[in-house]
Amino acid sequence: VDEDRPDLGKMALRLARAVADEERPVLAREDLEMWDYVVLGALARAPAPTQGELARLTGRDPTRLIGHIDGLARRGLVERRPDPTDRRRRVVALTPDGLATFRRCRSGVRDLEEQLLADVPAPDRATFLRVLQQLHDDLDR
Amino acid sequence: VDEDRPDLGKMALRLARAVADEERPVLAREDLEMWDYVVLGALARAPAPTQGELARLTGRDPTRLIGHIDGLARRGLVERRPDPTDRRRRVVALTPDGLATFRRCRSGVRDLEEQLLADVPAPDRATFLRVLQQLHDDLDR
DNA sequence: CATATGTCAGCTCAACTGACATTC
DNA sequence: CGAATGTCAGTTAAGCTGACATAT
């Protein structure tokens, strides 16, 4: 067995950073930062959480999320309206333009991933992605 | 094919953070922070780089590395001495105590990794680690 | 009244920048 | 003299804490 490999955490972090570095220019084409993409992605899956829930989902600080959403709303990518049933809450949702923007970004991201994994044989790639997703899903439970 | 998986970057980052969170208590047993472990690990592989080179290897800011090495040297884990051939340079090296401390930590880290991958069948695990290491190594070149 | 949500101001800490001394 | 190395002070950005207003 190979005891001489780098730590799992080091390898995973290196990969994550490399992916993020390559994604940034793609997102910049839509004039988005990484946090924007994360927030739009969360809203694309769960239609309308509260701001606190959105902060928890994305891992972003609730207080910093405020100005963040302000910017996205000013650009017409998200919408923030008071919940009729509980007026303390501000329901945040994607606009059609926001959804389209997110889809363009994710498409570009997927292209990058394809490129990054190009040298990995198809069967290995499938196994790699399956195990990674299993670990990822298990961690969120 | 599954287009509906999370982004590669998200999965890798989630894994890296989970590993780091579990490693911290293990390192704390030796009274080490994550950065200490990273620095000791770099020194365990390459015996005596300069401080600037050590900063580049670990990804840590050169200016913050100064006080950091001060602390490790005060505890007798690393040694900083001027290079006789070029007195601008400070060669940083592990002490025997530092090497032993690092090995104890890495052993604990490997135990954690074993635990985290326990549910993954052995052949899949081997493929996963092999592909991950390949990607990791390719990125550093 | 106790709780939850969103907002804001202030604090703290890590990273980066620029300047400087030493040495090559 | 120009370049590299290590050190330090100042700036900047990001996250966190606590207080407050609104609503339940």
Side-chain angles (χ1 to χ4, degrees):
Chain A
V1 291
D2 55 342
E3 297 269 351
D4 255 357
R5 59 167 175 77
D7 286 344
L8 175 60
K10 174 179 181 178
M11 294 192 292
L13 187 59
R14 182 77 182 81
L15 176 60
R17 291 207 170 134
V19 172
D21 288 343
E22 289 185 356
E23 285 178 4
R24 251 177 282 273
V26 173
L27 301 180
R29 291 200 307 246
E30 303 282 346
D31 200 34
L32 294 183
E33 312 255 338
M34 187 58 70
W35 273 120
D36 299 318
Y37 180 65
V38 171
V39 168
L40 294 183
L43 292 178
R45 285 150 107 261
T50 78
Q51 285 188 202
E53 188 64 9
L54 183 57
R56 195 190 60 78
L57 278 172
T58 57
R60 171 139 237 207
D61 186 274
T63 64
R64 298 213 41 125
L65 190 58
I66 299 170
H68 190 190
I69 294 182
D70 289 345
L72 291 174
R74 204 177 311 117
R75 295 169 58 183
L77 300 179
V78 305
E79 216 176 20
R80 173 167 44 186
R81 43 196 172 175
D83 183 336
T85 74
D86 183 344
R87 280 173 299 179
R88 292 174 303 181
R89 302 187 171 187
R90 308 287 195 282
V91 177
V92 184
L94 279 189
T95 63
D97 193 13
L99 179 59
T101 301
F102 170 70
R103 286 200 172 136
R104 280 195 302 274
C105 285
R106 192 178 59 175
S107 170
V109 166
R110 288 301 155 94
D111 290 345
L112 279 183
E113 296 178 356
E114 198 66 30
Q115 210 172 322
L116 191 87
L117 296 171
D119 286 345
V120 180
D124 287 353
R125 190 193 316 190
T127 300
F128 173 74
L129 288 174
R130 179 167 46 78
V131 172
L132 182 56
Q133 184 170 5
Q134 178 189 332
L135 292 171
H136 171 270
D137 292 347
D138 285 350
L139 287 170
D140 280 333
R141 189 175 338 138
Chain B
V1 288
D2 55 343
E3 297 269 350
D4 254 359
R5 60 166 174 78
D7 287 344
L8 176 60
K10 175 180 179 175
M11 295 193 292
L13 187 58
R14 182 77 180 82
L15 175 60
R17 289 206 171 137
V19 172
D21 288 343
E22 290 185 356
E23 286 177 3
R24 251 176 282 273
V26 173
L27 301 180
R29 293 202 305 246
E30 302 281 347
D31 201 35
L32 294 183
E33 313 255 338
M34 187 59 69
W35 272 120
D36 298 318
Y37 180 65
V38 171
V39 168
L40 294 183
L43 293 177
R45 282 147 100 263
T50 77
Q51 285 188 203
E53 188 64 10
L54 184 57
R56 196 191 60 78
L57 279 173
T58 57
R60 171 140 235 206
D61 186 275
T63 63
R64 301 223 60 199
L65 190 60
I66 299 170
H68 189 190
I69 294 182
D70 289 344
L72 291 174
R74 204 177 312 118
R75 296 170 58 185
L77 299 179
V78 305
E79 218 176 20
R80 173 167 43 187
R81 43 194 172 178
D83 183 336
T85 74
D86 183 344
R87 280 171 301 178
R88 293 174 301 180
R89 305 187 169 187
R90 306 288 194 281
V91 178
V92 184
L94 279 190
T95 64
D97 193 14
L99 179 58
T101 300
F102 170 70
R103 287 200 171 136
R104 281 195 301 275
C105 285
R106 191 177 61 174
S107 170
V109 167
R110 289 300 157 94
D111 290 345
L112 279 183
E113 295 179 357
E114 197 67 31
Q115 210 171 323
L116 190 88
L117 297 171
D119 287 344
V120 180
D124 287 354
R125 189 193 316 191
T127 301
F128 173 74
L129 288 174
R130 179 167 47 78
V131 171
L132 182 56
Q133 183 170 6
Q134 179 189 333
L135 292 171
H136 171 270
D137 292 346
D138 286 350
L139 287 170
D140 280 334
R141 191 176 340 135

